[in-house]
Amino acid sequence: MQFLSDNAAAVHPAVWAAMQAADAAQAPYDNDALSQALDERFSDLFGRPAWGLWVASGTAANCLALATMVQPHGGVVCHREAHIEMDEGGAPGFYLHGAKLMLAEGDGAMLTPAAIAAVIDPVRDDVHQVQPHAVSITQATEYGRTYGPADVAAIAAFAAARGLPLHMDGARFANAVAFQGATPGALTHGVAALSFGFIKNGGMGAEAIVFFDEGAARLARYRRKRAGHLQSKGRFLAAQIHAMLDGDVWLANARHANAAARELAGGVAERLLHPVEANEVFVALSAAERAALRGQGFGFYDWGEDAARFVTAWNAREADVAALARALAAL
Amino acid sequence: MQFLSDNAAAVHPAVWAAMQAADAAQAPYDNDALSQALDERFSDLFGRPAWGLWVASGTAANCLALATMVQPHGGVVCHREAHIEMDEGGAPGFYLHGAKLMLAEGDGAMLTPAAIAAVIDPVRDDVHQVQPHAVSITQATEYGRTYGPADVAAIAAFAAARGLPLHMDGARFANAVAFQGATPGALTHGVAALSFGFIKNGGMGAEAIVFFDEGAARLARYRRKRAGHLQSKGRFLAAQIHAMLDGDVWLANARHANAAARELAGGVAERLLHPVEANEVFVALSAAERAALRGQGFGFYDWGEDAARFVTAWNAREADVAALARALAAL
Amino acid sequence: MQFLSDNAAAVHPAVWAAMQAADAAQAPYDNDALSQALDERFSDLFGRPAWGLWVASGTAANCLALATMVQPHGGVVCHREAHIEMDEGGAPGFYLHGAKLMLAEGDGAMLTPAAIAAVIDPVRDDVHQVQPHAVSITQATEYGRTYGPADVAAIAAFAAARGLPLHMDGARFANAVAFQGATPGALTHGVAALSFGFIKNGGMGAEAIVFFDEGAARLARYRRKRAGHLQSKGRFLAAQIHAMLDGDVWLANARHANAAARELAGGVAERLLHPVEANEVFVALSAAERAALRGQGFGFYDWGEDAARFVTAWNAREADVAALARALAAL
Amino acid sequence: MQFLSDNAAAVHPAVWAAMQAADAAQAPYDNDALSQALDERFSDLFGRPAWGLWVASGTAANCLALATMVQPHGGVVCHREAHIEMDEGGAPGFYLHGAKLMLAEGDGAMLTPAAIAAVIDPVRDDVHQVQPHAVSITQATEYGRTYGPADVAAIAAFAAARGLPLHMDGARFANAVAFQGATPGALTHGVAALSFGFIKNGGMGAEAIVFFDEGAARLARYRRKRAGHLQSKGRFLAAQIHAMLDGDVWLANARHANAAARELAGGVAERLLHPVEANEVFVALSAAERAALRGQGFGFYDWGEDAARFVTAWNAREADVAALARALAAL
């Protein structure tokens, strides 16, 4: 009964089916019909002109998106615990040619206009200091928190006032949409580019970068090839994305995962380190308690000395979730 | 009846089956059992210690391999028409942080020790000129030529004498092995890293980088993550590679494709621009002849003003091949 | 009697005097009065709005100029024997973050619209091939040839029609101006940025990058700092430039050097490899002839097997020049 | 009466004299006798084999030194307020091709083994996190603190135990040597490369990078050219360095500056933010007090809301220092 992560879960049957339906040879790269349909698909979903590119990982999505916003001598304001800072092996330094991550503070790994201002206001506008070129937020955050439409809009407005485009790392965007109950468009108001995650949510190896500016998308297409991310059988990545969007599989999966997380959290409300707004549950647990849970067959990551992180996947089995919820509540 | 390329063909059934067999969640990234087994798998295949990493494209394979050999201020000797020079959108400049491609001449896009010497001998060993750090050859070449074991060994020995590690871009390595009838080990004697292609040969989205040095492989693992190429469900890439190697699917597919190419070439021997040693056939054809072939339903690329390129895929249908062979012979 | 190069000659007395006059502490970096006056100084000289930055080397000047024009995934069209390709140790790869030099042909290392077209016309506008982002020419060229106003204008117009800004490497711009007898403005019509050389012409360690666009200059100021080229006592570089421009020392020096070159060439017209239009003389000379000249005390570089290069400095002594001219004529 | 910085002060007469003595043409770049003598010169000074390269700025010195130690996917542990992090316009990101600065804490901008451990111990040795490749300390620190021989040795030993070479940013190394009364060798025990500053201490535009490993020096020579920092009249930079070392001008200058700083500090001991160990004095001063001092003609930088920084140059006039000391003591 694994609650280690959602990033290696099985692939949704609809995704498998769509991939197999795409088997016959088509034009290579992103010249196939499925890839070519992504712009329109995302325009429909977000309710405004959008351009969609597939890539094989969230790291590539984030970095290619940021590469359209940030010059090598600039910086990206992000949270101190953002994935791009903590877990991408220095990929932003690679893709942005040495640009700097400018680290902001905030509970639950959430940014606010004030937190961003605290980072950039002290920067003198001279050549000795790296100037901010963009802002990046994570939705849901690294602690499973989500921004509501007003939160995003406030950050976007603040960033725009400073001349900074806004990137959203949406590795768990689906979970955020499911929790907030807002439309994808409402949750990305003012966002210049979104890394729209599917892999943690039932996909196999396809994330989308959704741009809301055609020039940025055009630039990213060159950079994607240059990064070796333009796969020749790209139709299989496009097929995954379409399958996830068809019939709102992406939302159903996220709702399932979120519900499982809520169920886990239900019995340990007083132990929660963060409000549960997506599919991650951070619980204060002693080493003995963690050992006991593991003895019962539950897998999860320690989170520091005194806590654990449980992640519920799109296909979390209800029996497993119920068993873990009971075990937690019984502590 | 498409003979445009092999890079967007359908996926081999054995690959599909292996991917589906890998569906159940496993450890993420390359911590799954299939990925972990690649080092041994390639060691067995090549008959010497080897380390294997999957990536999603040949461009990524080539560039990550070269990044273990070349410092940013150095250069890579390759053919003027090598894929890394012509068709990777500047990826070597990106992955090698500005290192230079040093372009050599040679019929059929083949290198020789003499051709390499012609490039590097004039380079003064001073800081004003970019120094060579590695050599890269393509097997089969961009014109479907193949190096035999003695050719590779001669280049490797020459390169070693100059202190240059040798990279082999094996996007069509299988076709070369099939044509040469030599073992993979014999065809890579002295090679430091091989980009072992599967995608053009029945795979979906997995190439292997095979290193013959553990330190290089370790370095490449960091660089792969940094490039956003460490997919979280990496087991699906490893599964593709195992499926291709199991029962020598890779060789059977390549033999089929090579045989189809030979069949096409059979009737137009006097029109061939290059000997047919893999699955590509370059044929002198006037514009009118090309139009006539297209009128009969055949798809292919023009190759300059007076020729055409035909590529046979692993699953080329025998009837299609026979039809095209007849049409060519009838010209 | 050295005719090896002009790049290590003594410093003009006026430059020394200006540097010493600048000794007293001023605002650091480029905040001193001398540095601040460069924009106006170059605007006056070129007859249109210009922005001037000092740097310590021609390599830095060229690369910082190009960095304002070329994105990392793009390319720069230049001559196959351009300094940026041959002699800068890979600096363009470094400063341009892996962008590519796209090599054109042309006698005397000169480019023409047709030569540029021959390089860029075959480039498909797709993501697999590096797209041109800029053009760079050298004035005077690596073989001492010069472009007239109409030549520059034609190249600039062609480049503009293709959307490509034009850079001029003017390491010997003074010699070109002196030879052409045109104004600096007329010789840079349509040029976006000029590397204006002073070091080979009597300066110590200051070249200017002259931008004709304020945004590019602003960008270059950030990149200059980032490259470690913003010296804290920048006033000493600015002083050199002002001293060279005051009273047209730069032109007088160049005229002297050019005249010396013409004198050398006078007696060996039939042996010249290139017309002498600046301060470099390429002469067909056998090994025996070269040895004989060296035996008479003349220093110079061999140029391949059958020729030699003579460079005359701003301070070439008339007696030395006359002696060499006689020796050449006597061969 | 300026106490703003030492980085734009006048040039020492001995430096002027040496530069003028080097005026006659010599071999270009670093092939002149003065440049060629630097290795021996520094070997003598440090009492062990050393290799010395001139560059035009401290930023270039730091970054070229680090480039020999750090791969693009690695990191450099330095203090949160180190010059390379705060004041170099992102140069480390440029020169290290996107490597990361890993920020440690410590009073007075000083590092300790424990502070370094606090940064690197939490880094998992996996590809998702940037691994440390080197450590950099500043001597004297950004707050004018100095490391003694035992401090440096302890850090070097700790770093070595972790496999990390140690870089020392010695923009004010002379001041540290003068304060510590230790030999240059004793103060660099275990250091792999030192940025040895001369510009703030009476030089014009030459810093030295001193390597204690020949391979690193050789690598740096390529990278220096590639960065456009190999000046063709390099003899003028070498001359500056020799002049500073001849007769221990560097030490006399540093002692003078340090003494001036001590004099300033003498009357405001209770207001000092940091012990005065070099030529910088940080004094708690209200806005009104700062205004009063400025009203008396003293120039200096505010340091936050409640303090000021005074820097004494190598040529600080005794009368000015005495006047400021009196004014401070009278507050």
Side-chain angles (χ1 to χ4, degrees):
Chain A
M1 293 176 289
Q2 293 304 322
F3 295 88
L4 286 158
S5 185
D6 45 2
N7 74 345
V11 171
H12 192 278
V15 171
W16 278 116
M19 292 176 72
Q20 289 172 309
D23 195 27
Q26 287 199 29
Y29 307 112
D30 62 353
N31 299 314
D32 61 285
L34 292 169
S35 298
Q36 293 288 312
L38 287 177
D39 294 352
E40 183 176 353
R41 187 84 200 231
F42 284 113
S43 298
D44 288 348
L45 184 66
F46 286 91
R48 64 188 203 270
W51 291 261
L53 284 75
W54 42 253
V55 287
S57 73
T59 292
N62 288 336
C63 292
L64 286 169
L66 289 169
T68 66
M69 306 174 182
V70 180
Q71 291 200 59
H73 63 283
V76 181
V77 183
C78 67
H79 193 275
R80 180 174 304 285
E81 300 186 77
H83 198 264
I84 55 174
E85 162 67 10
M86 295 294 286
D87 294 303
E88 298 193 346
F94 181 45
Y95 276 86
L96 306 182
H97 296 292
K100 188 174 177 175
L101 301 186
M102 307 172 78
L103 306 179
E105 310 289 340
D107 287 344
M110 299 190 80
L111 291 191
T112 59
I116 299 167
V119 171
I120 66 177
D121 282 351
V123 177
R124 299 184 313 270
D125 181 14
D126 70 29
V127 301
H128 300 271
Q129 299 200 300
V130 173
Q131 306 296 310
H133 284 196
V135 173
S136 178
I137 60 176
T138 310
Q139 171 81 309
T141 76
E142 287 69 20
Y143 289 108
R145 300 294 308 279
T146 61
Y147 297 90
D151 301 323
V152 174
I155 291 172
F158 174 82
R162 301 301 183 96
L164 306 175
L166 177 61
H167 166 251
M168 180 180 281
D169 174 356
R172 294 189 179 94
F173 182 67
N175 302 282
V177 173
F179 177 80
Q180 290 286 342
T183 65
L187 271 181
T188 54
H189 189 73
V191 169
L194 166 70
S195 301
F196 192 151
F198 294 101
I199 295 172
K200 294 183 197 300
N201 194 31
M204 176 186 287
E207 310 279 80
I209 321 175
V210 181
F211 289 99
F212 299 102
D213 174 82
E214 187 168 15
R218 178 174 162 78
L219 177 55
R221 291 183 201 278
Y222 284 100
R223 295 290 179 98
R224 177 175 62 174
K225 170 60 199 178
R226 191 177 188 238
H229 276 288
L230 182 64
Q231 298 190 34
S232 57
K233 300 186 184 178
R235 64 188 185 271
F236 292 113
L237 286 85
Q240 296 178 50
I241 293 170
H242 285 291
M244 290 293 292
L245 296 178
D246 285 344
D248 283 342
V249 170
W250 68 293
L251 269 178
N253 284 1
R255 286 178 184 133
H256 177 86
N258 286 5
R262 275 196 306 277
E263 183 174 345
L264 295 185
V268 287
E270 73 294 344
R271 288 173 177 261
L272 295 178
L273 304 188
H274 300 283
V276 175
E277 301 177 351
N279 66 329
E280 297 185 285
V281 188
F282 294 82
V283 185
L285 289 175
S286 69
E289 290 168 329
R290 300 196 303 269
L293 288 170
R294 289 193 171 106
Q296 298 172 57
F298 298 107
F300 52 88
Y301 281 113
D302 287 348
W303 204 260
E305 301 291 307
D306 303 309
R309 185 189 78 166
F310 302 88
V311 184
T312 53
W314 70 272
N315 63 348
R317 284 188 297 181
E318 304 208 352
D320 294 350
V321 173
L324 177 54
R326 281 193 305 272
L328 283 169
L331 287 173
Chain B
M1 293 176 289
Q2 293 304 322
F3 295 86
L4 286 158
S5 185
D6 45 1
N7 74 346
V11 171
H12 191 279
V15 171
W16 277 115
M19 291 175 73
Q20 288 172 309
D23 194 26
Q26 286 199 30
Y29 307 113
D30 62 354
N31 300 313
D32 62 285
L34 293 169
S35 298
Q36 294 288 311
L38 287 177
D39 294 352
E40 185 177 352
R41 188 83 199 232
F42 284 113
S43 298
D44 288 348
L45 183 65
F46 287 89
R48 64 189 204 270
W51 290 263
L53 285 73
W54 42 252
V55 287
S57 74
T59 293
N62 288 336
C63 291
L64 286 168
L66 289 168
T68 68
M69 306 175 183
V70 180
Q71 291 201 60
H73 63 283
V76 180
V77 182
C78 67
H79 193 275
R80 180 175 302 286
E81 299 187 77
H83 199 264
I84 55 174
E85 163 66 9
M86 294 294 286
D87 293 304
E88 299 193 346
F94 180 45
Y95 276 86
L96 306 182
H97 296 291
K100 188 174 177 173
L101 300 186
M102 307 172 77
L103 305 179
E105 310 290 339
D107 286 345
M110 299 192 80
L111 292 191
T112 59
I116 299 167
V119 171
I120 66 177
D121 283 350
V123 177
R124 300 184 312 271
D125 181 15
D126 70 26
V127 302
H128 300 271
Q129 298 200 302
V130 173
Q131 306 296 310
H133 284 198
V135 173
S136 179
I137 60 175
T138 309
Q139 172 80 309
T141 77
E142 287 69 20
Y143 289 108
R145 300 295 308 278
T146 61
Y147 297 90
D151 301 322
V152 174
I155 292 172
F158 174 83
R162 302 299 182 98
L164 306 176
L166 177 61
H167 166 251
M168 180 181 280
D169 174 357
R172 292 188 180 95
F173 182 68
N175 302 283
V177 172
F179 177 80
Q180 289 286 342
T183 65
L187 271 182
T188 54
H189 189 73
V191 169
L194 166 71
S195 302
F196 193 150
F198 294 101
I199 295 171
K200 294 182 197 299
N201 194 31
M204 176 187 287
E207 310 280 80
I209 319 174
V210 181
F211 290 99
F212 299 102
D213 174 81
E214 186 168 15
R218 178 174 161 79
L219 177 55
R221 292 184 201 278
Y222 284 101
R223 295 290 180 97
R224 177 176 61 174
K225 170 60 199 179
R226 190 178 189 237
H229 276 288
L230 182 63
Q231 298 190 34
S232 57
K233 301 186 184 179
R235 64 188 186 271
F236 292 113
L237 286 85
Q240 295 178 50
I241 294 170
H242 285 291
M244 290 293 292
L245 296 179
D246 286 344
D248 284 342
V249 169
W250 68 292
L251 269 178
N253 284 1
R255 286 178 184 133
H256 178 86
N258 286 5
R262 275 197 306 275
E263 185 174 344
L264 295 186
V268 287
E270 73 293 345
R271 289 175 179 260
L272 294 179
L273 303 189
H274 301 282
V276 174
E277 301 177 352
N279 65 328
E280 297 185 284
V281 188
F282 295 81
V283 185
L285 290 174
S286 69
E289 290 168 329
R290 299 197 302 271
L293 288 171
R294 288 195 170 105
Q296 298 171 57
F298 299 107
F300 52 88
Y301 281 113
D302 287 349
W303 204 259
E305 300 291 308
D306 303 308
R309 186 189 78 166
F310 302 88
V311 184
T312 53
W314 69 271
N315 62 348
R317 284 187 299 182
E318 305 207 355
D320 294 351
V321 173
L324 177 55
R326 282 193 304 272
L328 283 169
L331 288 173
Chain C
M1 292 177 287
Q2 293 304 321
F3 294 86
L4 288 158
S5 185
D6 45 1
N7 73 346
V11 172
H12 192 278
V15 171
W16 278 115
M19 292 176 73
Q20 288 172 308
D23 195 27
Q26 288 198 29
Y29 307 113
D30 61 354
N31 299 314
D32 61 285
L34 292 168
S35 298
Q36 293 288 310
L38 288 177
D39 293 352
E40 185 177 351
R41 187 83 199 233
F42 284 113
S43 297
D44 289 348
L45 184 65
F46 287 89
R48 64 189 205 268
W51 290 262
L53 284 74
W54 41 252
V55 288
S57 73
T59 294
N62 289 336
C63 292
L64 286 169
L66 289 168
T68 67
M69 306 174 183
V70 180
Q71 291 200 60
H73 63 284
V76 180
V77 182
C78 66
H79 193 275
R80 180 175 303 286
E81 299 186 78
H83 198 264
I84 55 175
E85 163 67 9
M86 296 294 284
D87 293 303
E88 299 194 346
F94 180 45
Y95 276 86
L96 306 182
H97 296 291
K100 188 175 178 173
L101 300 186
M102 308 172 78
L103 305 179
E105 310 290 340
D107 286 345
M110 297 191 83
L111 292 191
T112 59
I116 299 167
V119 172
I120 66 178
D121 282 351
V123 178
R124 300 185 312 271
D125 182 13
D126 71 25
V127 301
H128 300 271
Q129 298 199 302
V130 173
Q131 305 297 310
H133 284 196
V135 173
S136 178
I137 61 175
T138 309
Q139 171 81 311
T141 77
E142 287 69 19
Y143 289 109
R145 300 294 309 279
T146 61
Y147 297 92
D151 302 321
V152 175
I155 292 172
F158 175 83
R162 302 301 183 97
L164 306 176
L166 176 61
H167 166 251
M168 179 180 282
D169 174 355
R172 293 190 180 93
F173 182 67
N175 303 283
V177 173
F179 177 80
Q180 290 286 342
T183 66
L187 272 182
T188 55
H189 189 74
V191 169
L194 166 71
S195 302
F196 192 151
F198 294 101
I199 295 172
K200 293 183 198 301
N201 194 31
M204 176 188 287
E207 310 279 82
I209 320 174
V210 182
F211 290 99
F212 298 102
D213 174 81
E214 187 168 15
R218 178 174 161 79
L219 176 55
R221 291 182 201 279
Y222 283 102
R223 295 290 178 98
R224 177 176 62 174
K225 169 61 198 178
R226 192 179 188 236
H229 276 288
L230 183 64
Q231 298 190 35
S232 56
K233 301 185 184 177
R235 64 188 185 271
F236 291 114
L237 287 85
Q240 296 177 50
I241 294 170
H242 284 292
M244 291 292 291
L245 296 178
D246 285 343
D248 284 341
V249 169
W250 69 292
L251 269 178
N253 285 1
R255 286 178 184 135
H256 177 85
N258 286 6
R262 275 196 307 275
E263 184 175 345
L264 295 186
V268 288
E270 73 293 345
R271 289 174 178 260
L272 295 178
L273 304 189
H274 300 283
V276 175
E277 300 176 352
N279 65 329
E280 297 185 284
V281 187
F282 295 81
V283 184
L285 291 175
S286 68
E289 290 167 328
R290 298 197 303 269
L293 288 171
R294 288 193 170 107
Q296 299 171 56
F298 298 107
F300 53 86
Y301 281 114
D302 286 349
W303 205 260
E305 301 292 306
D306 303 309
R309 185 190 79 167
F310 302 88
V311 183
T312 52
W314 69 272
N315 62 347
R317 283 189 297 182
E318 305 208 352
D320 293 350
V321 174
L324 177 55
R326 281 193 305 271
L328 284 169
L331 288 174
Chain D
M1 292 176 288
Q2 292 303 322
F3 295 87
L4 287 159
S5 184
D6 45 1
N7 74 345
V11 171
H12 191 278
V15 171
W16 278 115
M19 292 176 73
Q20 288 172 309
D23 194 26
Q26 287 199 29
Y29 307 114
D30 62 353
N31 299 314
D32 60 286
L34 292 169
S35 297
Q36 293 288 311
L38 287 177
D39 293 353
E40 184 177 351
R41 187 83 200 233
F42 283 112
S43 298
D44 289 346
L45 184 65
F46 287 89
R48 64 188 205 270
W51 291 262
L53 285 74
W54 42 252
V55 287
S57 73
T59 293
N62 288 336
C63 292
L64 286 169
L66 289 168
T68 67
M69 307 175 181
V70 180
Q71 290 199 60
H73 64 284
V76 181
V77 182
C78 67
H79 193 275
R80 178 175 305 286
E81 299 186 76
H83 198 264
I84 55 175
E85 162 67 9
M86 296 293 286
D87 293 303
E88 299 193 345
F94 180 45
Y95 276 85
L96 307 181
H97 295 292
K100 188 174 177 175
L101 300 186
M102 308 172 78
L103 305 180
E105 310 289 341
D107 286 344
M110 298 191 82
L111 292 191
T112 59
I116 300 166
V119 171
I120 66 178
D121 283 350
V123 177
R124 300 184 312 270
D125 182 13
D126 70 26
V127 301
H128 300 272
Q129 297 200 301
V130 173
Q131 305 295 311
H133 284 198
V135 173
S136 179
I137 61 175
T138 310
Q139 172 79 314
T141 76
E142 286 70 18
Y143 290 109
R145 300 294 309 278
T146 61
Y147 297 91
D151 301 323
V152 174
I155 292 171
F158 174 83
R162 302 301 183 95
L164 306 176
L166 177 61
H167 166 251
M168 179 180 282
D169 174 357
R172 293 189 180 94
F173 182 68
N175 302 283
V177 172
F179 177 80
Q180 289 285 343
T183 66
L187 271 182
T188 54
H189 190 73
V191 169
L194 166 71
S195 302
F196 192 150
F198 293 101
I199 295 171
K200 293 182 197 303
N201 194 30
M204 177 187 286
E207 310 278 81
I209 321 175
V210 182
F211 289 99
F212 299 102
D213 174 82
E214 187 168 13
R218 179 173 160 80
L219 176 55
R221 292 183 201 278
Y222 284 102
R223 295 291 179 97
R224 178 176 61 175
K225 171 60 198 178
R226 192 179 188 236
H229 276 288
L230 183 64
Q231 298 190 33
S232 57
K233 301 186 184 177
R235 63 188 185 270
F236 291 114
L237 286 85
Q240 295 177 50
I241 294 171
H242 285 291
M244 291 292 291
L245 296 178
D246 285 344
D248 284 342
V249 169
W250 68 292
L251 270 178
N253 284 2
R255 285 179 185 134
H256 178 86
N258 286 6
R262 274 197 306 278
E263 184 174 345
L264 294 186
V268 287
E270 73 292 345
R271 288 173 178 260
L272 295 178
L273 303 189
H274 300 283
V276 174
E277 300 177 353
N279 65 329
E280 296 185 287
V281 187
F282 295 81
V283 185
L285 290 174
S286 69
E289 290 168 329
R290 300 196 302 269
L293 288 171
R294 288 191 171 110
Q296 298 172 56
F298 299 107
F300 53 87
Y301 281 113
D302 288 349
W303 204 260
E305 301 291 304
D306 303 308
R309 185 189 80 167
F310 302 88
V311 184
T312 51
W314 70 272
N315 63 347
R317 284 189 297 182
E318 305 209 353
D320 293 351
V321 174
L324 176 55
R326 279 194 305 273
L328 283 169
L331 289 173

